[in-house]
């Protein structure tokens, strides 16, 4: 495979890449149902049949993305039904019923700083009606959905053997079997509206397109639960909407377990449980049986993602404290020494604003080359071994113009040529240029952060974490995960500078977001007529 093909393949796995063809996947799902019926030949029964167990396990493994990894009977889990008072464990399902109909939840592993934490995740709307009927009708037989060795062997043969196209689907294009098996994972991988922490839960951190992106964003388990529920419901809706031929709709009908009636496999319910209707979050409920009045109580959420987040109010106080001190330094008639002191203070301020307003990583020289800055609106930085383009918001451009004006005044006042390839730099007592280093910037930030936020500690890199978190929670405009990755500089081969295309509407949205950050931080307006 040549390099361009590899780049194209990498981009195809990135957030914002095309979704799998919904109709092709829907027809392959229909082929799976037809094959299941042919293999197990369902018949009306008041007890759980082998077909019921096979379909139950197939849907569960499909939803969790585990079908493709079933290579032996040991890979087929024993699914158990537990009560709402039991802790969440792998391959457990439970029923939540505050009103009718019940809602089923399954176990998902959530990565935290203490390791994997299993959390309950509601079945997406579309499959819940089938799972709810299956579980509520068999709630007194929690092991009835566990297949024995013979059934597992037969089921494994069903999912691993070659699937021939059913006669009724001849002439239609069907997705490959592995595409259907990985449908939910692939959809989550390329979904631009699904947050990175939610993708990390579905895919696993190691399977993220940009692994390091997970370390910059923070989201609690209630928000992640909502993100996944909404996304998986949409993925099912895409499939069901593509099958509109009456003869195919009829074939997507399956028997209800322990019943003599059939139902559509994917069917949207209009009356979900109330805890699923809270905008932006889905709480985790625990069935409290310790009191006389048994009821559901809400458990506290856990946080997933970045461990280095800083409070927005702390960032606001920090930059306000710097602004106040810089105003004091600029309020009197200047000597060469006071002008140099103001210059150096503005350098530190500019470097910290640069990190907070562009998300650039603090390297050993917290600046960029003048020749790579274009009209003080765009710049190219050498970041983590590669070049990338950054946008400079209007506020930072004005701050840069103010600094350039101050630098020229100092040069004229001292009769010294302050010539450097870097955009900003420190000046020592001998009027010699001294590059700004990460160590000196950390010391400066530690001093002023302690003054503005007593008892707190922060380093410049945490301003990059602030940027990522603000981008994640921004509502005006709302950014996709692809937008955030682009702003943060997360890129693989084929996604970096020169290999991607930014459309005008996306460019406008990113500029709008960047220009809103100074207002969000309550940064004081830069006054004065500076000419650079």
């Amino acid at each position: 495979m040549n390099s361009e093909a590899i780049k194209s393949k990498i981009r195809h796995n990135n957030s914002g890449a095309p979704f799998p063809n919904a109709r092709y996947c829907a027809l392959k799902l229909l082929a799976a149902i037809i094959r299941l019926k042919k293999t197990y030949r369902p018949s009306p029964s008041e007890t759980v049949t082998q077909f019921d167990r096979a379909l139950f396990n197939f849907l569960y493994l499909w939803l969790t993305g585990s079908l493709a990894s079933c290579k032996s009977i040991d890979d087929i889990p024993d699914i158990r039904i537990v009560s709402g008072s039991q802790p969440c464990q792998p391959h457990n399902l439970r029923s939540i019923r505050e009103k009718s109909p019940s809602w089923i939840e399954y176990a998902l592993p959530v990565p935290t700083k203490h390791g994997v934490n299993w959390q309950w995740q509601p079945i997406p709307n579309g499959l819940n009606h089938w799972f709810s009927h299956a579980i509520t009708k068999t709630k007194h037989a929690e092991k009835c959905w566990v297949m024995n060795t013979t059934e597992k062997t037969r089921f494994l043969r069903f999912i691993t053997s070659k699937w021939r196209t059913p006669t009724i689907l001849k002439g239609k294009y069907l997705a490959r079997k592995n595409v259907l098996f990985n449908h939910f994972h692939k959809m989550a991988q390329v979904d631009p509206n699904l947050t990175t922490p939610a993708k990390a839960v579905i895919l696993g951190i190691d399977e993220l397109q940009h692994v390091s992106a997970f370390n910059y964003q923070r989201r609690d388990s209630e928000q992640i639960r909502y993100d996944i529920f909404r996304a998986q419901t949409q993925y099912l809706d895409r499939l069901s909407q593509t099958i509109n031929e009456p003869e195919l709709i009829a074939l997507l009908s399956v028997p209800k377990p322990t019943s003599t009636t059939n139902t559509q496999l994917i069917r949207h319910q209009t009356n979900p449980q109330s805890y699923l209707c809270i905008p932006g979050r889905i709480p985790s409920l625990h069935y409290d049986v310790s009191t006389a009045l048994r009821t559901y109580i809400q458990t506290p959420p856990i946080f997933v993602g970045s461990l280095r987040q800083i409070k927005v109010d702390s960032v606001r106080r920090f930059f306000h404290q710097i602004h106040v001190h810089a105003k004091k330094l600029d309020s009197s008639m200047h000597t060469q020494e006071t002008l140099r002191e103001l210059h150096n203070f503005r350098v530190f301020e500019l470097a910290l604003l640069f990190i907070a307003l562009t998300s650039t990583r603090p390297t050993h020289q917290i600046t960029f080359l003048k020749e790579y800055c274009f009209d003080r609106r765009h710049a190219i930085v050498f970041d983590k071994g590669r070049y990338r383009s950054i946008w400079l918001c209007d506020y930072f451009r004005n701050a840069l113009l103010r600094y350039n004006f101050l630098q020229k005044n100092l040069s004229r006042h001292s009769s010294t040529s302050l010539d450097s390839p870097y955009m900003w730099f420190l000046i020592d007592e001998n009027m010699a240029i001294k590059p700004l280093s990460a160590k000196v910037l950390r010391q400066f930030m530690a001093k002023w952060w302690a003054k503005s936020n007593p008892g707190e500690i922060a380093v410049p890199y945490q301003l990059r974490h602030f940027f990522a978190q603000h981008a994640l929670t921004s509502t005006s405009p709302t950014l996709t995960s692809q937008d955030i990755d682009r702003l943060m500089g997360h890129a693989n081969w084929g996604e970096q500078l020169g290999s991607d295309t930014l459309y005008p509407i996306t460019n406008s949205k990113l500029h709008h977001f960047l220009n809103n950050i100074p207002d969000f931080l309550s940064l004081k307006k830069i006054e004065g007529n500076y000419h650079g």
Side-chain angles (χ1 to χ4, degrees):
M1 186 181 293
N2 60 39
S3 61
E4 291 303 318
I6 295 174
K7 291 179 181 180
S8 177
K9 184 177 180 180
I10 291 174
R11 289 193 296 268
H12 192 73
N13 290 329
N14 192 14
S15 172
F19 285 123
N21 187 290
R23 179 165 173 82
Y24 299 165
C25 290
L27 291 177
K28 195 66 176 182
L29 176 62
L30 186 57
I33 301 303
I34 295 173
R35 184 175 172 82
L36 264 174
K37 292 177 180 178
K38 183 178 179 180
T39 302
Y40 290 92
R41 301 194 180 281
S43 59
S45 173
E46 294 182 356
T47 60
V48 176
T49 64
Q50 288 194 24
F51 172 83
D52 296 332
R53 269 192 292 272
L55 181 56
F56 190 99
N57 281 265
F58 179 83
L59 293 177
Y60 171 78
L61 294 172
W62 180 49
L63 179 61
T64 57
S66 305
L67 275 174
S69 60
C70 290
K71 306 299 183 183
S72 69
I73 61 172
D74 295 332
D75 298 325
I76 302 174
D78 293 336
I79 305 173
R80 300 182 183 276
I81 312 303
V82 299
S83 70
S85 61
Q86 297 297 313
C88 185
Q89 296 293 332
H91 309 303
N92 282 359
L93 285 85
R94 69 171 185 174
S95 174
I96 297 292
R97 184 184 178 90
E98 294 179 310
K99 63 176 184 179
S100 181
S102 300
W103 212 273
I104 307 304
E105 296 185 336
Y106 64 102
L108 266 185
V110 176
T112 69
K113 64 178 180 179
H114 301 299
V116 173
N117 186 302
W118 288 89
Q119 293 281 310
W120 292 113
Q121 175 64 39
I123 291 279
N125 197 343
L127 289 180
N128 181 73
H129 75 100
W130 194 88
F131 277 97
S132 177
H133 178 88
I135 291 175
T136 54
K137 296 299 181 181
T138 58
K139 60 183 179 181
H140 298 299
E142 64 176 28
K143 297 182 180 180
C144 68
W145 299 107
V146 177
M147 294 189 291
N148 58 37
T149 302
T150 302
E151 289 179 305
K152 285 185 177 182
T153 302
R154 188 180 184 187
F155 181 75
L156 182 67
R157 191 183 309 117
F158 161 74
I159 62 176
T160 56
S161 61
K162 185 176 181 180
W163 288 12
R164 297 188 182 277
T165 304
T167 304
I168 194 171
L169 300 181
K170 291 288 186 180
K172 295 179 171 58
Y173 191 92
L174 280 64
R176 294 173 62 89
K177 186 170 64 173
N178 65 316
V179 174
L180 173 66
F181 285 3
N182 292 308
H183 177 71
F184 284 96
H185 277 196
K186 181 60 177 180
M187 290 290 295
Q189 187 177 46
V190 300
D191 188 349
N193 297 314
L194 187 62
T195 62
T196 298
K199 291 185 179 186
V201 172
I202 296 177
L203 305 174
I205 298 177
D206 294 338
E207 296 299 320
L208 292 175
Q209 175 75 353
H210 304 129
V211 177
S212 57
F214 173 75
N215 298 319
Y216 290 99
Q217 302 174 30
R218 191 183 190 192
R219 208 156 174 84
D220 67 48
S221 55
E222 293 184 355
Q223 295 171 313
I224 292 175
R225 194 175 291 113
Y226 172 83
D227 293 339
I228 296 176
F229 177 77
R230 176 187 54 81
Q232 291 184 335
T233 298
Q234 291 176 350
Y235 304 160
L236 287 172
D237 287 342
R238 288 182 76 249
L239 296 183
S240 63
Q241 291 169 7
T242 60
I243 297 181
N244 46 30
E245 299 94 327
E247 64 276 12
L248 297 185
I249 293 175
L251 290 174
L252 199 57
S253 177
V254 295
K256 286 185 176 181
T258 67
S259 172
T260 58
T261 60
N262 289 0
T263 183
Q264 283 294 302
L265 180 61
I266 302 176
R267 181 164 62 83
H268 194 85
Q269 293 175 274
T270 57
N271 54 342
Q273 298 286 318
S274 57
Y275 80 106
L276 299 174
C277 301
I278 304 173
R281 57 180 58 245
I282 296 177
S284 177
L285 302 180
H286 176 75
Y287 191 54
D288 186 9
V289 297
S290 61
T291 61
L293 181 62
R294 298 186 176 186
T295 184
Y296 288 102
I297 59 174
Q298 186 172 331
T299 59
I302 61 174
F303 289 94
V304 178
S306 172
L307 304 177
R308 306 181 71 185
Q309 289 296 330
I310 48 180
K311 299 177 182 177
V312 175
D313 287 340
S314 298
V315 180
R316 289 170 177 160
R317 286 191 295 266
F318 171 66
F319 280 112
H320 177 73
Q321 184 79 14
I322 290 179
H323 166 79
V324 171
H325 187 73
K327 194 172 182 180
K328 289 180 181 179
L329 294 178
D330 199 22
S331 62
S332 59
M333 297 295 292
H334 285 293
T335 63
Q336 178 176 314
E337 183 59 30
T338 60
L339 198 60
R340 187 182 66 84
E341 182 183 4
L342 175 61
H343 172 277
N344 287 346
F345 193 86
R346 289 294 190 198
V347 167
F348 288 113
E349 179 188 31
L350 200 60
L352 292 168
L353 284 172
F354 180 59
I355 302 168
L357 300 181
T358 67
S359 84
T360 305
R361 297 176 179 88
T363 55
H364 288 289
Q365 292 177 331
I366 322 294
T367 181
F368 49 85
L369 295 173
K370 292 178 180 178
E371 64 177 318
Y372 290 160
C373 183
F374 313 104
D375 193 30
R376 299 177 180 83
R377 298 185 185 277
H378 299 84
I380 295 176
V381 296
F382 191 68
D383 194 8
K384 210 169 184 178
R386 60 173 63 126
Y387 288 100
R388 76 177 180 100
S389 177
I390 59 173
W391 298 270
L392 307 179
C393 66
D394 295 340
Y395 184 92
F396 186 80
R397 182 175 189 270
N398 291 333
L400 197 53
L401 289 171
R402 178 179 62 187
Y403 166 76
N404 289 341
F405 185 72
L406 174 62
Q407 185 189 109
K408 290 184 178 181
N409 279 344
L410 180 58
S411 179
R412 286 194 295 266
H413 196 89
S414 62
S415 300
T416 304
S417 176
L418 302 176
D419 188 19
S420 171
Y422 294 105
M423 187 60 73
W424 57 82
F425 44 81
L426 297 173
I427 299 175
D428 63 16
E429 295 83 354
N430 300 319
M431 296 303 295
I433 293 174
K434 181 181 178 182
L436 179 64
S437 67
K439 179 180 179 180
V440 174
L441 186 62
R442 281 198 303 271
Q443 293 171 346
F444 175 89
M445 184 172 180
K447 172 185 173 182
W448 288 96
W449 191 272
K451 286 185 177 182
S452 56
N453 301 290
E456 295 184 18
I457 300 175
V459 296
Y461 212 100
Q462 287 179 269
L463 294 176
R464 176 169 159 84
H465 286 255
F466 152 76
F467 182 98
Q469 186 65 18
H470 177 53
L472 177 65
T473 57
S474 172
T475 57
S476 180
T478 300
L479 301 183
T480 66
S481 53
Q482 184 184 31
D483 295 331
I484 299 174
D485 287 341
R486 184 185 295 274
L487 289 171
M488 293 293 292
H490 299 305
N492 290 325
W493 195 34
E495 298 175 329
Q496 63 267 37
L497 184 65
S499 296
D500 59 353
T501 302
L502 188 66
Y503 295 101
I505 190 170
T506 304
N507 202 343
S508 176
K509 179 173 66 172
L510 298 183
H511 276 89
H512 179 53
F513 166 75
L514 293 172
N515 282 327
N516 283 346
I517 300 178
D519 290 335
F520 177 75
L521 288 178
S522 302
L523 298 180
K524 300 299 181 181
K525 184 179 179 181
I526 297 176
E527 300 176 346
N529 187 19
Y530 301 104
H531 304 284

